[in-house]
Amino acid sequence: VGLDLSAAMLAQARSNKPEAPVVRGDLRRLPWKPCFNLTTCLFDSLNFVLDPGEMRRAVAELAATLDEGGLLYCDIVTERMVLDHFADQEWVERNAGFSTRWSSRYSRTTRISETDVRINSGPVYTFRERMYAREDVEEALAAAGLTLLGAYDAETWRAARTRSIRIDFVAVKGQSAGPSARAFEKAAARIRRMMA
Protein backbone atom coordinates (compact mmCIF):
# COMPACT_ATOMS: atom_id res chain seq x y z
CA VAL A 1 0.00 0.00 0.00
CA GLY A 2 1.38 3.42 -0.91
CA LEU A 3 0.53 6.76 0.64
CA ASP A 4 1.18 10.32 -0.53
CA LEU A 5 -0.33 13.74 0.14
CA SER A 6 -0.02 14.66 -3.55
CA ALA A 7 -2.85 13.58 -5.85
CA ALA A 8 -0.46 13.95 -8.82
CA MET A 9 2.03 11.53 -7.26
CA LEU A 10 -0.75 9.03 -6.59
CA ALA A 11 -1.92 9.31 -10.20
CA GLN A 12 1.64 8.61 -11.34
CA ALA A 13 1.84 5.59 -9.03
CA ARG A 14 -1.47 4.26 -10.38
CA SER A 15 -0.25 4.64 -13.97
CA ASN A 16 3.02 2.82 -13.17
CA LYS A 17 1.45 0.00 -11.14
CA PRO A 18 -2.36 -0.03 -11.40
CA GLU A 19 -2.77 -3.12 -9.20
CA ALA A 20 -1.02 -1.55 -6.18
CA PRO A 21 -3.39 0.14 -3.72
CA VAL A 22 -2.59 3.79 -2.99
CA VAL A 23 -4.17 6.18 -0.49
CA ARG A 24 -4.07 9.95 -0.23
CA GLY A 25 -3.05 10.95 3.28
CA ASP A 26 -0.84 12.95 5.59
CA LEU A 27 2.24 11.37 7.17
CA ARG A 28 1.27 12.99 10.46
CA ARG A 29 -2.22 11.40 10.49
CA LEU A 30 -2.00 7.96 8.93
CA PRO A 31 -5.22 6.05 8.23
CA TRP A 32 -3.94 2.69 9.54
CA LYS A 33 -3.45 1.27 12.97
CA PRO A 34 -1.39 -1.89 13.59
CA CYS A 35 -1.61 -4.01 10.45
CA PHE A 36 1.84 -4.04 8.78
CA ASN A 37 5.03 -5.95 9.50
CA LEU A 38 7.10 -3.47 7.46
CA THR A 39 6.55 0.25 6.96
CA THR A 40 8.93 2.41 4.93
CA CYS A 41 9.26 6.20 4.85
CA LEU A 42 12.04 7.11 2.43
CA PHE A 43 13.35 9.79 0.05
CA ASP A 44 13.62 12.61 2.63
CA SER A 45 9.95 12.38 3.65
CA LEU A 46 10.76 13.16 7.29
CA ASN A 47 12.91 16.13 6.21
CA PHE A 48 9.87 17.65 4.51
CA VAL A 49 8.10 17.78 7.90
CA LEU A 50 9.53 21.14 8.96
CA ASP A 51 8.39 21.30 12.59
CA PRO A 52 10.37 19.03 14.98
CA GLY A 53 7.26 18.22 17.02
CA GLU A 54 5.38 17.26 13.86
CA MET A 55 8.32 15.08 12.78
CA ARG A 56 8.09 13.21 16.09
CA ARG A 57 4.34 12.88 15.54
CA ALA A 58 4.97 11.44 12.05
CA VAL A 59 7.37 8.85 13.49
CA ALA A 60 4.78 7.93 16.13
CA GLU A 61 2.17 7.51 13.38
CA LEU A 62 4.53 5.29 11.40
CA ALA A 63 5.16 3.17 14.50
CA ALA A 64 1.41 2.89 15.09
CA THR A 65 0.99 1.15 11.71
CA LEU A 66 3.21 -1.73 12.83
CA ASP A 67 2.26 -5.02 14.41
CA GLU A 68 4.37 -6.02 17.42
CA GLY A 69 7.81 -6.97 16.10
CA GLY A 70 7.25 -5.07 12.83
CA LEU A 71 10.05 -3.04 11.24
CA LEU A 72 10.20 0.63 10.34
CA TYR A 73 12.73 1.58 7.66
CA CYS A 74 13.09 5.37 7.24
CA ASP A 75 15.74 7.85 6.15
CA ILE A 76 16.85 11.46 6.32
CA VAL A 77 19.23 13.58 4.31
CA THR A 78 21.73 15.31 6.56
CA GLU A 79 23.11 18.81 6.92
CA ARG A 80 26.32 17.44 5.35
CA MET A 81 24.33 16.63 2.17
CA VAL A 82 22.98 20.16 1.95
CA LEU A 83 26.33 21.83 2.68
CA ASP A 84 28.18 19.65 0.15
CA HIS A 85 25.64 19.54 -2.68
CA PHE A 86 22.95 22.23 -2.40
CA ALA A 87 23.64 25.28 -0.22
CA ASP A 88 24.09 28.48 -2.25
CA GLN A 89 24.41 26.58 -5.52
CA GLU A 90 22.66 26.91 -8.88
CA TRP A 91 22.65 24.35 -11.67
CA VAL A 92 20.76 23.16 -14.75
CA GLU A 93 19.93 19.54 -15.59
CA ARG A 94 19.06 18.64 -19.17
CA ASN A 95 16.94 15.55 -19.66
CA ALA A 96 15.20 13.96 -22.62
CA GLY A 97 12.57 16.53 -23.60
CA PHE A 98 12.90 18.91 -20.65
CA SER A 99 15.36 20.75 -18.48
CA THR A 100 15.28 21.82 -14.85
CA ARG A 101 16.91 24.86 -13.29
CA TRP A 102 17.81 24.57 -9.59
CA SER A 103 18.76 27.19 -7.02
CA SER A 104 19.28 26.40 -3.34
CA ARG A 105 19.83 28.21 -0.04
CA TYR A 106 20.44 26.94 3.48
CA SER A 107 20.20 28.57 6.91
CA ARG A 108 22.32 26.94 9.61
CA THR A 109 20.28 28.87 12.18
CA THR A 110 16.89 27.44 11.20
CA ARG A 111 18.36 24.27 9.63
CA ILE A 112 15.96 24.82 6.72
CA SER A 113 17.01 24.25 3.13
CA GLU A 114 15.04 26.00 0.37
CA THR A 115 15.40 24.81 -3.20
CA ASP A 116 13.73 26.49 -6.17
CA VAL A 117 13.06 24.25 -9.18
CA ARG A 118 11.82 25.39 -12.58
CA ILE A 119 10.94 22.92 -15.33
CA ASN A 120 11.53 24.39 -18.79
CA SER A 121 9.86 27.84 -18.73
CA GLY A 122 7.18 26.89 -16.20
CA PRO A 123 6.57 28.30 -12.74
CA VAL A 124 9.14 28.10 -9.96
CA TYR A 125 8.38 25.58 -7.20
CA THR A 126 10.10 25.98 -3.84
CA PHE A 127 10.82 22.92 -1.69
CA ARG A 128 11.70 23.27 1.99
CA GLU A 129 13.37 20.63 4.12
CA ARG A 130 14.60 20.65 7.72
CA MET A 131 17.96 19.03 8.37
CA TYR A 132 17.45 16.83 11.42
CA ALA A 133 20.38 15.44 13.36
CA ARG A 134 20.70 11.68 13.70
CA GLU A 135 19.91 12.05 17.42
CA ASP A 136 16.61 13.81 16.61
CA VAL A 137 15.36 10.79 14.69
CA GLU A 138 16.71 8.28 17.19
CA GLU A 139 14.88 10.11 20.03
CA ALA A 140 11.67 10.13 17.98
CA LEU A 141 11.98 6.39 17.32
CA ALA A 142 12.48 5.63 21.02
CA ALA A 143 9.57 7.90 22.04
CA ALA A 144 7.36 5.99 19.57
CA GLY A 145 8.14 2.66 21.26
CA LEU A 146 10.64 1.48 18.66
CA THR A 147 14.02 -0.14 19.31
CA LEU A 148 16.75 1.00 16.93
CA LEU A 149 18.42 -1.88 15.11
CA GLY A 150 20.81 0.33 13.18
CA ALA A 151 21.55 3.75 11.69
CA TYR A 152 23.40 3.25 8.42
CA ASP A 153 25.22 5.41 5.91
CA ALA A 154 22.94 4.97 2.88
CA GLU A 155 25.87 4.74 0.45
CA THR A 156 27.73 1.94 2.24
CA TRP A 157 25.29 0.50 4.78
CA ARG A 158 28.01 0.69 7.38
CA ALA A 159 27.43 2.61 10.63
CA ALA A 160 26.39 6.21 9.94
CA ARG A 161 29.10 8.79 10.58
CA THR A 162 29.40 12.56 10.69
CA ARG A 163 30.16 12.72 6.93
CA SER A 164 27.11 10.63 5.94
CA ILE A 165 24.89 12.52 3.52
CA ARG A 166 21.89 10.22 3.98
CA ILE A 167 21.14 8.00 6.97
CA ASP A 168 18.92 4.92 6.85
CA PHE A 169 17.29 3.90 10.15
CA VAL A 170 15.86 0.47 10.88
CA ALA A 171 13.85 -0.02 14.07
CA VAL A 172 11.63 -2.76 15.50
CA LYS A 173 8.38 -2.19 17.36
CA GLY A 174 8.25 -2.96 21.02
CA GLN A 175 11.07 -5.46 21.46
CA SER A 176 14.47 -5.35 22.98
CA ALA A 177 16.95 -5.54 20.15
CA GLY A 178 18.04 -9.15 20.96
CA PRO A 179 16.88 -11.69 18.33
CA SER A 180 15.73 -9.04 15.85
CA ALA A 181 19.11 -7.29 16.01
CA ARG A 182 21.03 -10.51 15.31
CA ALA A 183 18.76 -11.45 12.40
CA PHE A 184 18.85 -7.95 11.01
CA GLU A 185 22.65 -7.67 11.25
CA LYS A 186 22.91 -10.74 9.00
CA ALA A 187 20.63 -9.03 6.48
CA ALA A 188 22.64 -5.79 6.75
CA ALA A 189 25.85 -7.72 6.08
CA ARG A 190 24.29 -9.15 2.89
CA ILE A 191 23.24 -5.64 1.83
CA ARG A 192 26.81 -4.35 2.39
CA ARG A 193 28.20 -7.19 0.23
CA MET A 194 25.73 -6.38 -2.56
CA MET A 195 26.69 -2.70 -2.45
CA ALA A 196 30.45 -3.37 -2.53
Side-chain angles (χ1 to χ4, degrees):
V1 178
L3 176 133
D4 204 290
L5 189 57
S6 164
M9 289 301 289
L10 294 174
Q12 184 65 49
R14 286 184 187 105
S15 72
N16 290 346
K17 196 164 183 146
E19 70 280 6
V22 294
V23 175
R24 187 169 186 195
D26 189 317
L27 187 58
R28 297 160 298 180
R29 285 176 288 286
L30 295 175
W32 306 285
K33 291 309 167 204
C35 62
F36 299 122
N37 58 23
L38 172 66
T39 296
T40 62
C41 181
L42 301 171
F43 306 112
D44 318 5
S45 294
L46 291 176
N47 296 96
F48 284 102
V49 181
L50 300 180
D51 179 78
E54 292 290 294
M55 183 276 287
R56 288 189 295 275
R57 179 177 176 179
V59 170
E61 286 286 305
L62 292 164
T65 69
L66 293 169
D67 288 327
E68 190 73 13
L71 294 177
L72 173 62
Y73 176 20
C74 61
D75 74 355
I76 57 167
V77 291
T78 65
E79 186 175 57
R80 175 56 38 209
M81 161 71 105
V82 172
L83 293 173
D84 287 355
H85 300 287
F86 286 89
D88 302 319
Q89 295 188 43
E90 294 184 11
W91 66 98
V92 174
E93 294 178 356
R94 287 176 174 56
N95 302 288
F98 70 97
S99 66
T100 53
R101 181 172 303 279
W102 302 71
S103 175
S104 189
R105 302 160 300 287
Y106 180 61
S107 166
R108 286 186 184 219
T109 304
T110 64
R111 298 181 65 91
I112 300 287
S113 170
E114 292 186 333
T115 303
D116 299 330
V117 181
R118 184 175 188 181
I119 301 171
N120 292 332
S121 59
V124 174
Y125 297 95
T126 300
F127 301 95
R128 291 175 182 82
E129 294 184 74
R130 177 177 292 278
M131 297 304 112
Y132 291 105
R134 173 182 172 173
E135 296 75 24
D136 297 330
V137 178
E138 290 179 357
E139 289 169 10
L141 294 169
L146 299 167
T147 301
L148 184 67
L149 297 178
Y152 300 97
D153 180 293
E155 294 182 322
T156 64
W157 255 61
R158 300 200 180 284
R161 53 198 207 290
T162 56
R163 304 246 358 128
S164 295
I165 61 173
R166 182 181 296 276
I167 300 174
D168 292 343
F169 299 88
V170 179
V172 63
K173 183 170 185 177
Q175 297 184 3
S176 64
S180 296
R182 287 189 293 279
F184 188 74
E185 187 46 46
K186 288 180 183 176
R190 283 196 306 272
I191 293 168
R192 284 192 289 273
R193 284 194 299 273
M194 289 187 315
M195 295 177 79

